[in-house]
Protein backbone atom coordinates (compact mmCIF):
# COMPACT_ATOMS: atom_id res chain seq x y z
CA UNK A 1 0.00 0.00 0.00
CA UNK A 2 2.86 2.33 0.81
CA UNK A 3 4.41 1.82 -2.60
CA UNK A 4 1.08 2.43 -4.35
CA UNK A 5 0.58 5.61 -2.34
CA UNK A 6 4.06 6.79 -3.22
CA UNK A 7 3.71 6.10 -6.90
CA UNK A 8 0.15 7.36 -7.31
CA UNK A 9 1.31 10.94 -7.74
CA UNK A 10 0.18 11.37 -11.34
CA UNK A 11 -2.81 10.50 -13.49
CA UNK A 12 -3.53 10.79 -17.16
CA UNK A 13 -6.29 13.21 -17.97
CA UNK A 14 -7.06 12.61 -21.69
CA UNK A 15 -9.88 14.99 -20.94
CA UNK A 16 -12.04 16.81 -23.43
CA UNK A 17 -13.99 19.26 -21.29
CA UNK A 18 -12.97 21.46 -18.40
CA UNK A 19 -14.28 24.77 -17.11
CA UNK A 20 -12.14 27.66 -18.25
CA UNK A 21 -10.32 29.39 -15.41
CA UNK A 22 -10.39 33.17 -15.35
CA UNK A 23 -8.75 35.88 -13.34
CA UNK A 24 -11.94 36.00 -11.26
CA UNK A 25 -10.90 32.65 -9.82
CA UNK A 26 -7.93 34.30 -8.17
CA UNK A 27 -10.29 35.57 -5.51
CA UNK A 28 -11.04 31.98 -4.54
CA UNK A 29 -7.37 31.01 -4.21
CA UNK A 30 -5.71 31.82 -0.91
CA UNK A 31 -2.19 32.42 -2.16
CA UNK A 32 -0.85 32.49 1.38
CA UNK A 33 -2.12 28.98 1.97
CA UNK A 34 -0.67 27.82 -1.33
CA UNK A 35 2.77 29.03 -0.30
CA UNK A 36 2.40 27.60 3.21
CA UNK A 37 1.34 24.21 1.89
CA UNK A 38 4.14 24.14 -0.67
CA UNK A 39 6.67 25.06 1.98
CA UNK A 40 5.31 22.44 4.39
CA UNK A 41 5.43 19.72 1.74
CA UNK A 42 9.01 20.56 0.82
CA UNK A 43 10.18 20.75 4.43
CA UNK A 44 8.40 17.49 5.23
CA UNK A 45 9.99 15.77 2.26
CA UNK A 46 13.44 16.92 3.33
CA UNK A 47 12.84 15.77 6.91
CA UNK A 48 11.51 12.37 5.85
CA UNK A 49 14.35 11.93 3.41
CA UNK A 50 16.85 12.63 6.18
CA UNK A 51 15.11 10.19 8.54
CA UNK A 52 15.06 7.49 5.87
CA UNK A 53 18.84 7.76 5.64
CA UNK A 54 19.40 7.74 9.40
CA UNK A 55 16.73 5.34 10.54
CA UNK A 56 16.42 1.56 10.16
CA UNK A 57 13.87 1.83 7.35
CA UNK A 58 10.11 1.47 7.09
CA UNK A 59 8.99 -1.68 8.86
CA UNK A 60 5.71 -1.93 6.98
CA UNK A 61 7.41 -2.41 3.63
CA UNK A 62 7.10 -6.06 2.59
CA UNK A 63 10.37 -6.22 0.73
CA UNK A 64 13.66 -4.81 1.84
CA UNK A 65 14.83 -4.52 -1.72
CA UNK A 66 11.72 -2.57 -2.72
CA UNK A 67 11.56 -0.23 0.27
CA UNK A 68 12.89 3.31 -0.11
CA UNK A 69 16.55 3.07 0.87
CA UNK A 70 19.48 5.39 0.60
CA UNK A 71 21.40 5.14 -2.62
CA UNK A 72 24.94 3.76 -2.26
CA UNK A 73 26.00 7.16 -3.50
CA UNK A 74 24.64 8.86 -0.37
CA UNK A 75 27.01 6.86 1.85
CA UNK A 76 30.12 8.32 0.26
CA UNK A 77 32.26 7.29 -2.68
CA UNK A 78 31.27 5.77 -5.97
CA UNK A 79 28.61 3.03 -5.88
CA UNK A 80 30.04 -0.52 -5.99
CA UNK A 81 28.72 -1.17 -9.51
CA UNK A 82 29.56 2.29 -10.86
CA UNK A 83 30.43 2.38 -14.53
CA UNK A 84 33.74 4.01 -15.54
CA UNK A 85 31.99 7.21 -16.61
CA UNK A 86 30.50 7.68 -13.13
CA UNK A 87 33.81 6.88 -11.44
CA UNK A 88 35.61 9.37 -13.69
CA UNK A 89 33.00 12.04 -12.98
CA UNK A 90 33.39 11.49 -9.24
CA UNK A 91 37.16 11.59 -9.48
CA UNK A 92 37.15 14.86 -11.44
CA UNK A 93 34.37 16.74 -9.67
CA UNK A 94 34.61 15.28 -6.17
CA UNK A 95 31.81 15.18 -3.61
CA UNK A 96 31.81 18.72 -2.28
CA UNK A 97 28.94 21.22 -2.17
CA UNK A 98 30.54 23.15 -5.02
CA UNK A 99 29.84 20.24 -7.37
CA UNK A 100 26.22 20.01 -6.23
CA UNK A 101 25.69 23.76 -6.51
CA UNK A 102 27.13 23.72 -10.01
CA UNK A 103 25.02 20.71 -10.99
CA UNK A 104 21.88 22.39 -9.64
CA UNK A 105 22.67 25.56 -11.57
CA UNK A 106 23.30 23.58 -14.75
CA UNK A 107 20.08 21.61 -14.32
CA UNK A 108 18.10 24.80 -13.70
CA UNK A 109 19.51 26.49 -16.79
CA UNK A 110 18.91 23.36 -18.86
CA UNK A 111 15.32 23.11 -17.63
CA UNK A 112 14.69 26.75 -18.50
CA UNK A 113 16.12 26.35 -22.00
CA UNK A 114 14.13 23.16 -22.52
CA UNK A 115 10.84 24.90 -21.75
CA UNK A 116 11.91 27.94 -23.76
CA UNK A 117 12.54 25.74 -26.80
CA UNK A 118 8.94 24.55 -26.91
CA UNK A 119 7.65 28.04 -26.20
CA UNK A 120 9.50 29.28 -29.28
CA UNK A 121 8.22 26.38 -31.38
CA UNK A 122 4.67 27.15 -30.30
CA UNK A 123 5.01 30.90 -30.84
CA UNK A 124 6.25 30.28 -34.40
CA UNK A 125 3.29 27.93 -35.05
CA UNK A 126 5.67 25.03 -35.61
CA UNK A 127 4.04 23.17 -32.75
CA UNK A 128 0.42 23.42 -31.60
CA UNK A 129 0.14 25.32 -28.31
CA UNK A 130 -1.73 22.57 -26.47
CA UNK A 131 0.66 19.94 -27.77
CA UNK A 132 3.62 22.09 -26.73
CA UNK A 133 2.27 22.35 -23.20
CA UNK A 134 1.82 18.60 -22.90
CA UNK A 135 5.24 17.86 -24.37
CA UNK A 136 6.71 20.12 -21.70
CA UNK A 137 4.71 18.23 -19.08
CA UNK A 138 5.84 14.86 -20.44
CA UNK A 139 9.53 15.62 -20.81
CA UNK A 140 10.50 18.17 -18.14
CA UNK A 141 10.54 15.72 -15.23
CA UNK A 142 12.49 13.01 -17.09
CA UNK A 143 14.93 15.65 -18.41
CA UNK A 144 15.53 16.74 -14.81
CA UNK A 145 16.03 13.13 -13.63
CA UNK A 146 18.67 12.62 -16.31
CA UNK A 147 20.76 15.30 -14.60
CA UNK A 148 20.86 13.44 -11.26
CA UNK A 149 24.17 11.63 -12.02
CA UNK A 150 25.81 15.05 -12.16
CA UNK A 151 25.31 15.41 -8.42
CA UNK A 152 27.74 14.08 -5.83
CA UNK A 153 27.50 11.23 -3.32
CA UNK A 154 27.01 13.68 -0.47
CA UNK A 155 23.89 13.12 1.68
CA UNK A 156 22.96 16.72 0.87
CA UNK A 157 23.11 16.19 -2.90
CA UNK A 158 19.43 15.34 -3.21
CA UNK A 159 18.52 18.60 -1.47
CA UNK A 160 20.64 20.60 -3.88
CA UNK A 161 18.86 18.81 -6.72
CA UNK A 162 15.44 19.45 -5.14
CA UNK A 163 16.21 23.17 -5.28
CA UNK A 164 15.83 23.03 -9.08
CA UNK A 165 12.06 22.27 -9.13
CA UNK A 166 11.64 24.30 -5.92
CA UNK A 167 12.92 27.42 -7.69
CA UNK A 168 10.57 26.68 -10.57
CA UNK A 169 7.69 26.37 -8.08
CA UNK A 170 8.54 29.80 -6.66
CA UNK A 171 8.67 31.22 -10.19
CA UNK A 172 5.31 29.71 -11.12
CA UNK A 173 3.74 31.06 -7.95
CA UNK A 174 5.11 34.51 -8.65
CA UNK A 175 3.73 34.51 -12.19
CA UNK A 176 0.40 32.94 -11.26
CA UNK A 177 -0.21 35.35 -8.39
CA UNK A 178 0.71 38.37 -10.47
CA UNK A 179 3.91 39.22 -8.61
CA UNK A 180 5.91 38.50 -11.77
CA UNK A 181 4.73 39.37 -15.26
CA UNK A 182 5.67 36.78 -17.87
CA UNK A 183 3.13 36.30 -20.64
CA UNK A 184 5.36 33.85 -22.50
CA UNK A 185 5.41 31.51 -19.50
CA UNK A 186 1.64 31.79 -19.14
CA UNK A 187 1.12 30.88 -22.80
CA UNK A 188 3.58 27.99 -22.60
CA UNK A 189 2.21 26.34 -19.45
CA UNK A 190 -1.47 27.26 -19.09
CA UNK A 191 -4.37 25.64 -20.90
CA UNK A 192 -6.49 28.70 -21.55
CA UNK A 193 -3.95 31.52 -21.28
CA UNK A 194 -4.87 32.61 -17.76
CA UNK A 195 -2.07 33.09 -15.23
CA UNK A 196 -4.22 31.69 -12.40
CA UNK A 197 -3.87 28.23 -13.91
CA UNK A 198 -0.19 28.21 -12.95
CA UNK A 199 -1.19 28.05 -9.27
CA UNK A 200 -2.82 24.68 -9.78
CA UNK A 201 -1.50 21.84 -11.95
CA UNK A 202 1.88 23.34 -12.94
CA UNK A 203 2.70 24.41 -9.38
CA UNK A 204 1.71 21.02 -7.97
CA UNK A 205 3.77 19.31 -10.68
CA UNK A 206 6.92 21.06 -9.49
CA UNK A 207 6.14 20.33 -5.83
CA UNK A 208 5.80 16.63 -6.64
CA UNK A 209 9.24 16.78 -8.29
CA UNK A 210 10.64 18.36 -5.12
CA UNK A 211 9.16 15.59 -2.96
CA UNK A 212 10.29 12.81 -5.30
CA UNK A 213 13.83 14.17 -5.43
CA UNK A 214 14.28 14.94 -1.72
CA UNK A 215 12.54 11.85 -0.36
CA UNK A 216 13.38 9.08 -2.84
CA UNK A 217 16.30 10.30 -4.97
CA UNK A 218 18.09 8.06 -7.47
CA UNK A 219 18.22 4.83 -5.44
CA UNK A 220 14.48 4.20 -5.25
CA UNK A 221 12.39 2.33 -7.88
CA UNK A 222 9.16 3.81 -6.56
CA UNK A 223 10.61 7.32 -6.72
CA UNK A 224 11.44 7.11 -10.42
CA UNK A 225 8.13 5.32 -11.03
CA UNK A 226 6.24 8.23 -9.43
CA UNK A 227 8.06 10.64 -11.69
CA UNK A 228 7.51 8.48 -14.78
CA UNK A 229 3.79 8.01 -14.17
CA UNK A 230 3.12 11.66 -13.44
CA UNK A 231 5.18 12.96 -16.36
CA UNK A 232 5.23 10.28 -19.05
CA UNK A 233 1.93 8.54 -18.33
CA UNK A 234 -0.09 11.67 -17.69
CA UNK A 235 1.33 13.63 -20.59
CA UNK A 236 1.03 10.94 -23.24
CA UNK A 237 -2.46 9.98 -22.12
CA UNK A 238 -3.65 13.48 -22.90
CA UNK A 239 -1.80 13.66 -26.23
CA UNK A 240 -3.06 10.27 -27.41
CA UNK A 241 -6.51 10.66 -25.89
CA UNK A 242 -7.18 13.91 -27.73
CA UNK A 243 -6.19 12.41 -31.07
CA UNK A 244 -7.36 8.80 -30.87
CA UNK A 245 -9.94 8.76 -28.09
CA UNK A 246 -13.02 10.15 -29.83
CA UNK A 247 -14.55 6.76 -30.60
CA UNK A 248 -13.59 4.86 -27.45
CA UNK A 249 -14.78 6.91 -24.47
CA UNK A 250 -14.91 5.03 -21.20
CA UNK A 251 -18.50 4.10 -20.24
CA UNK A 252 -18.13 5.42 -16.67
CA UNK A 253 -16.21 8.59 -17.59
CA UNK A 254 -16.80 10.18 -20.97
CA UNK A 255 -13.96 12.66 -20.40
CA UNK A 256 -11.46 9.78 -20.59
CA UNK A 257 -10.79 7.26 -23.33
CA UNK A 258 -9.45 3.75 -23.67
CA UNK A 259 -6.74 5.02 -26.02
CA UNK A 260 -5.56 7.59 -23.48
CA UNK A 261 -5.59 5.10 -20.61
CA UNK A 262 -3.65 2.56 -22.65
CA UNK A 263 -1.08 5.24 -23.49
CA UNK A 264 -0.82 6.08 -19.79
CA UNK A 265 0.01 2.47 -18.91
CA UNK A 266 2.43 1.82 -21.78
CA UNK A 267 4.41 5.04 -21.50
CA UNK A 268 4.32 5.25 -17.71
CA UNK A 269 5.41 1.64 -17.27
CA UNK A 270 7.99 1.86 -20.04
CA UNK A 271 9.53 5.03 -18.65
CA UNK A 272 9.61 3.52 -15.14
CA UNK A 273 11.47 0.45 -16.40
CA UNK A 274 13.83 2.64 -18.39
CA UNK A 275 14.84 4.75 -15.40
CA UNK A 276 15.25 1.70 -13.14
CA UNK A 277 17.50 0.10 -15.76
CA UNK A 278 19.52 3.30 -16.16
CA UNK A 279 20.11 3.97 -12.47
CA UNK A 280 20.84 0.31 -11.79
CA UNK A 281 23.39 0.28 -14.59
CA UNK A 282 25.03 3.43 -13.21
CA UNK A 283 25.23 1.76 -9.80
CA UNK A 284 22.80 3.98 -7.89
CA UNK A 285 19.99 1.45 -7.55
CA UNK A 286 20.22 -2.06 -6.12
CA UNK A 287 17.14 -3.47 -7.87
CA UNK A 288 17.43 -4.12 -11.58
CA UNK A 289 14.73 -3.70 -14.21
CA UNK A 290 13.94 -7.41 -14.41
CA UNK A 291 13.31 -7.70 -10.68
CA UNK A 292 11.23 -4.52 -10.63
CA UNK A 293 9.18 -5.18 -13.78
CA UNK A 294 6.36 -7.14 -12.16
CA UNK A 295 5.76 -4.67 -9.37
CA UNK A 296 6.08 -1.67 -11.65
CA UNK A 297 3.51 -3.22 -13.99
CA UNK A 298 1.06 -3.70 -11.10
CA UNK A 299 1.62 -0.12 -9.96
CA UNK A 300 1.18 1.23 -13.48
CA UNK A 301 -2.03 -0.78 -13.88
CA UNK A 302 -3.38 0.49 -10.55
CA UNK A 303 -2.58 4.06 -11.56
CA UNK A 304 -4.22 3.51 -14.95
CA UNK A 305 -7.44 2.43 -13.22
CA UNK A 306 -7.26 5.38 -10.83
CA UNK A 307 -6.72 7.87 -13.65
CA UNK A 308 -9.87 6.64 -15.38
CA UNK A 309 -12.07 7.47 -12.40
CA UNK A 310 -14.18 10.66 -12.68
CA UNK A 311 -12.36 12.66 -9.98
CA UNK A 312 -10.97 15.49 -12.12
CA UNK A 313 -13.15 18.10 -10.44
CA UNK A 314 -12.20 16.86 -6.97
CA UNK A 315 -8.42 16.42 -7.17
CA UNK A 316 -5.76 17.87 -9.40
CA UNK A 317 -4.43 15.14 -11.67
CA UNK A 318 -0.86 15.66 -10.49
CA UNK A 319 -1.93 14.59 -6.98
CA UNK A 320 -4.68 12.03 -7.42
Amino acid sequence: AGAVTAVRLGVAPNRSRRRKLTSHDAGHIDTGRVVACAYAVCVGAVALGDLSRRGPGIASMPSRGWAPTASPKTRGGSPPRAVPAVQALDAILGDGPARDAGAALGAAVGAYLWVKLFDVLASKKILERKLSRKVIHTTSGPFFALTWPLFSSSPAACYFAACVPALQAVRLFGIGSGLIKNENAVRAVSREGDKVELLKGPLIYTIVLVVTTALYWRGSPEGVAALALMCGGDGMADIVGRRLGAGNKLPFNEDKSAAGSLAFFIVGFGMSIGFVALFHHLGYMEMDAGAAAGRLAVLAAACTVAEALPVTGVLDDNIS
Side-chain angles (χ1 to χ4, degrees), residues 69-290:
T69 56
S71 163
K73 287 287 289 177
T74 65
R75 294 192 283 271
S78 297
R81 298 183 310 278
V83 296
V86 173
Q87 293 175 335
L89 194 64
D90 292 344
I92 295 172
L93 301 179
D95 281 334
R99 170 181 174 177
D100 293 326
L105 177 61
V109 172
Y112 172 79
L113 294 177
W114 186 253
V115 174
K116 187 66 176 178
L117 169 64
F118 290 101
D119 181 41
V120 171
L121 292 176
S123 64
K124 293 183 178 297
K125 309 298 183 182
I126 298 175
L127 202 62
E128 180 188 358
R129 179 66 64 180
K130 289 183 178 180
L131 178 59
S132 171
R133 183 181 63 82
K134 269 304 170 182
V135 172
I136 291 173
H137 179 106
T138 303
T139 60
S140 292
F143 176 87
F144 169 56
L146 290 175
T147 69
W148 289 356
L150 298 176
F151 292 84
S152 75
S153 62
S154 166
C158 61
Y159 307 142
F160 276 94
C163 287
V164 177
L167 288 173
Q168 179 67 0
V170 172
R171 176 173 174 267
L172 289 173
F173 176 79
I175 297 172
S177 62
L179 298 175
I180 301 173
K181 186 175 181 180
N182 190 329
E183 295 299 327
N184 289 333
V186 173
R187 289 195 300 269
V189 179
S190 65
R191 290 187 177 89
E192 304 294 343
D194 195 291
K195 65 179 183 295
V196 177
E197 297 178 50
L198 275 64
L199 298 177
K200 295 192 174 183
L203 179 61
I204 294 172
Y205 179 97
T206 57
I207 293 174
V208 170
L209 290 181
V210 171
V211 173
T212 302
T213 305
L215 180 57
Y216 293 100
W217 199 212
R218 56 197 172 194
S220 167
E222 60 268 57
V224 296
L227 185 150
L229 290 165
M230 181 186 73
C231 302
D234 180 25
M236 287 304 299
D238 186 86
I239 292 172
V240 174
R242 289 181 184 275
R243 286 157 177 75
L244 304 178
N248 50 84
K249 298 295 183 181
L250 298 178
F252 54 87
N253 187 357
E254 63 179 13
D255 288 338
K256 308 290 179 71
S257 67
S261 294
L262 182 62
F264 177 92
F265 176 82
I266 293 175
V267 177
F269 172 67
M271 190 176 289
S272 299
I273 285 290
F275 272 116
V276 169
L278 173 64
F279 287 122
H280 174 77
H281 174 71
L282 294 177
Y284 299 117
M285 192 176 294
E286 295 180 3
M287 180 173 285
D288 61 26

